[in-house]
Amino acid sequence: MFAIVDCNSFYCSCERLFKPHLNHHPVVVLSNNDGCIVSRTDEAKKAGIAMGVPLFESRELIRQHGISVFSSNYHLYGDMSTRVMDTLRLLADDSTYRCVEVYSVDEAFINLSHLPFHALQGFAERLRDVVVQWTGIPVSVGIAPSKVLSKVANRLAKKDKVKSHCVMVLDAEDKVQEALEMTDVADLWGIGRKYARKLKDLYGINTAWQLRHMPEEWARKNLGGVVGVRMIRELNGLSCIQMKDPLEKKKMIATTRMFGRDVSAWQDIEEALATYATRCCEKLRRQHSAAKCVQIFLLLKPLPQNNPSEQSHYHRGSQVSGFTVLDNPSNLTPDIIKAALAIGKTLFEQGQIYKKAGVIVSELVPDNVLQTNLFVEPADARRKKLMNVIDNMNAAYRNDVLKFGTTGTHKNWKMRSEKRSKRYTTRWDELCTVR
């Protein structure tokens, strides 16, 4: 048996945690640059706020219903996510980190094969109660014989929280049948929009229960080969998607951001690329890796169509990119910044307007066994010590207390985040004040 624990309206729940007056009040959280709505409470959903819609399209509804709006606060969300996942590991007695699989920032699978069927309901209720008591984040729990079925159970538990009390356990065949009959095929984990449309229009398959009874050979031909066969088996309660070990080291690291305003000057591009390169280097050193390849890209702002009849439409912004291979693999910030800026100068065009940039480092190797270049001197060991000092200082005092001048001081190009709440759990000067 597998359980999936999913935080309810996670971003909004994090905001409510330090603002209890917002409980039972509609709340939404915005995406990067305060663009679209990416998290909604149940009250906001009832008010008619749709998922993923631009903020400007919902301003009237927000005004009418007095909905509280927040910018994304990733420092807070990341810290609260860590607390929730650590709590799940304690409750699941996961000393090996193999019983709990963190699926996303607000979801985790738990392997419950060691529990008898009669203990599943009680375990799920304990998970729900202890997580909210220890972290303040409400969660929903779905339990079933396979991962796909557990996602179905979790979705139904969240759909009617009053009836389910945020817990659903599919431990009998009649419960599985009822759940699958209530689940639209488009709502299945692993079924995208195109496949859902194909299943409904071509084959008349509208529910997960109907899909479950399709032959495996049919799924192999019409539902993506092995992936389709796995889906049919999972719907029949046969576990095919096993628990995954945590990814301890990334094979590629990227830092990309949208600009908060139109950018056309090289100085702004230079500051952005240097800042993103610095972030990549911090991540490299954190996992004790060094990069051989540095790549950057610049995304141009789309321009209006020339055709007057299509003035409301826009071209997709074109992207320019380039890469370089370092003489010696490195995780030293000056080396990566120098490489990124050299590429950026060859890509930058005066007069163009840019809306996004990114730095990507790849071909990662362990930093303790570097294959150096016979004709290029390796990095000075003192520079590595300097990087460690900078990392430790920034970790202790935050806010980039030590940084390279190339990254700039004002950073007027940074993403808009006008409605961000305080970072209550990661900044001393932003701790919650109690009177």
Side-chain angles (χ1 to χ4, degrees):
M1 299 291 282
F2 295 88
I4 183 165
V5 181
D6 188 3
C7 302
N8 298 337
S9 304
F10 178 57
Y11 289 180
C12 295
S13 295
C14 291
E15 299 293 349
R16 278 177 164 177
L17 181 59
F18 296 92
K19 303 177 185 64
H21 65 279
L22 294 179
N23 289 335
H24 310 296
H25 179 83
V27 177
V28 297
V29 174
L30 306 176
S31 63
N32 291 342
N33 257 340
D34 294 346
C36 301
I37 294 171
V38 294
S39 183
R40 310 161 294 162
T41 59
D42 291 339
E43 294 82 4
K45 295 175 186 177
K46 291 179 181 177
I49 300 294
M51 186 64 158
V53 298
L55 173 63
F56 72 88
E57 291 184 7
S58 303
R59 289 196 187 278
E60 186 59 28
L61 278 175
I62 290 171
R63 186 191 63 80
Q64 289 178 4
H65 297 275
I67 299 173
S68 298
V69 181
F70 294 94
S71 302
S72 292
N73 187 346
Y74 296 120
H75 291 86
L76 175 63
Y77 307 155
D79 185 65
M80 294 310 303
S81 173
T82 300
R83 298 185 187 202
V84 170
M85 300 310 166
D86 287 345
T87 300
L88 295 180
R89 292 189 182 100
L90 285 172
L91 295 175
D93 193 23
D94 184 18
S95 57
T96 64
Y97 278 66
R98 293 180 182 274
C99 185
V100 175
E101 175 194 336
V102 178
Y103 180 64
S104 68
V105 69
D106 62 342
E107 290 180 283
F109 286 103
I110 305 178
N111 190 337
L112 302 179
S113 57
H114 60 287
L115 288 181
F117 272 44
H118 65 81
L120 295 174
Q121 183 72 30
F123 180 78
E125 293 173 355
R126 182 167 180 264
L127 275 180
R128 175 200 62 196
D129 296 340
V130 174
V131 171
V132 74
Q133 181 183 9
W134 289 7
T135 69
I137 303 298
V139 299
S140 295
V141 184
I143 297 179
S146 68
K147 280 187 171 182
V148 170
L149 288 178
S150 69
K151 290 282 285 186
V152 170
N154 186 279
R155 178 183 171 277
L156 295 176
K158 295 181 73 171
K159 190 174 182 180
D160 190 350
K161 297 184 179 70
V162 175
K163 181 180 178 181
S164 68
H165 301 288
C166 295
V167 170
M168 178 164 288
V169 180
L170 304 181
D171 54 359
E173 184 58 31
D174 59 329
K175 293 183 181 179
V176 173
Q177 178 177 346
E178 182 181 1
L180 293 181
E181 288 176 343
M182 295 170 59
T183 302
D184 191 288
V185 71
D187 295 324
L188 279 176
W189 182 46
I191 299 292
R193 293 181 183 176
K194 291 184 178 179
Y195 267 120
R197 195 180 306 117
K198 176 182 176 181
L199 290 171
K200 292 181 178 181
D201 296 344
L202 292 182
Y203 304 106
I205 299 173
N206 297 298
T207 66
W209 179 250
Q210 292 174 311
L211 182 60
R212 169 180 172 159
H213 289 88
M214 299 303 292
E216 289 186 7
E217 194 56 39
W218 173 89
R220 191 183 304 278
K221 293 179 180 179
N222 302 289
L223 203 59
V226 175
V227 176
V229 173
R230 189 185 299 141
M231 171 65 71
I232 299 298
R233 292 180 179 178
E234 285 269 327
L235 290 174
N236 280 276
L238 302 174
S239 177
C240 300
I241 307 175
Q242 300 304 316
M243 301 288 287
K244 296 180 181 178
D245 292 333
L247 182 62
E248 296 179 356
K249 290 190 176 182
K250 298 179 180 178
K251 297 181 180 179
M252 181 179 72
I253 293 174
T255 302
T256 68
R257 297 287 188 276
M258 298 286 291
F259 298 135
R261 61 174 178 81
D262 291 346
V263 169
S264 58
W266 165 246
Q267 182 179 350
D268 293 331
I269 297 292
E270 182 182 42
E271 290 181 2
L273 292 177
T275 300
Y276 302 159
T278 301
R279 294 290 170 265
C280 287
C281 290
E282 291 171 352
K283 296 174 185 178
L284 280 171
R285 294 191 289 269
R286 201 174 299 147
Q287 69 174 37
H288 304 290
S289 296
K292 180 72 173 174
C293 181
V294 180
Q295 177 183 353
I296 78 150
F297 71 84
L298 301 174
L299 188 63
L300 280 70
K301 183 178 180 180
L303 299 175
Q305 296 260 6
N306 294 325
N307 188 343
S309 64
E310 298 179 353
Q311 287 183 355
S312 61
H313 299 284
Y314 291 84
H315 293 293
R316 294 182 61 185
S318 59
Q319 177 176 302
V320 291
S321 63
F323 73 94
T324 187
V325 178
L326 302 178
D327 294 324
N328 290 315
S330 177
N331 58 16
L332 304 181
T333 304
D335 294 346
I336 306 299
I337 288 180
K338 181 179 178 181
L341 296 185
I343 305 168
K345 287 179 180 178
T346 65
L347 300 177
F348 177 77
E349 293 184 30
Q350 192 68 41
Q352 292 284 6
I353 299 176
Y354 299 90
K355 68 173 187 176
K356 186 178 183 179
V359 176
I360 305 167
V361 292
S362 57
E363 296 188 31
L364 308 189
V365 295
D367 63 358
N368 59 347
V369 286
L370 298 180
Q371 180 67 48
T372 56
N373 189 318
L374 180 63
F375 304 101
V376 179
E377 185 177 354
D380 188 344
R382 292 176 298 178
R383 298 173 70 202
K384 296 181 179 179
K385 292 182 180 179
L386 175 61
M387 294 299 103
N388 290 332
V389 170
I390 292 176
D391 289 344
N392 291 335
M393 290 289 287
N394 287 336
Y397 294 99
R398 305 284 182 174
N399 295 326
D400 289 337
V401 65
L402 292 177
K403 58 187 176 183
F404 289 83
T406 321
T407 62
T409 53
H410 300 295
K411 298 183 179 181
N412 297 323
W413 45 267
K414 288 184 68 175
M415 288 190 307
R416 288 192 302 272
S417 189
E418 299 170 355
K419 302 177 183 297
R420 180 180 61 78
S421 57
K422 292 183 178 181
R423 295 162 289 189
Y424 300 101
T425 63
T426 58
R427 295 292 189 274
W428 285 108
D429 57 344
E430 297 182 21
L431 287 175
C432 190
T433 304
V434 179
R435 291 185 175 88

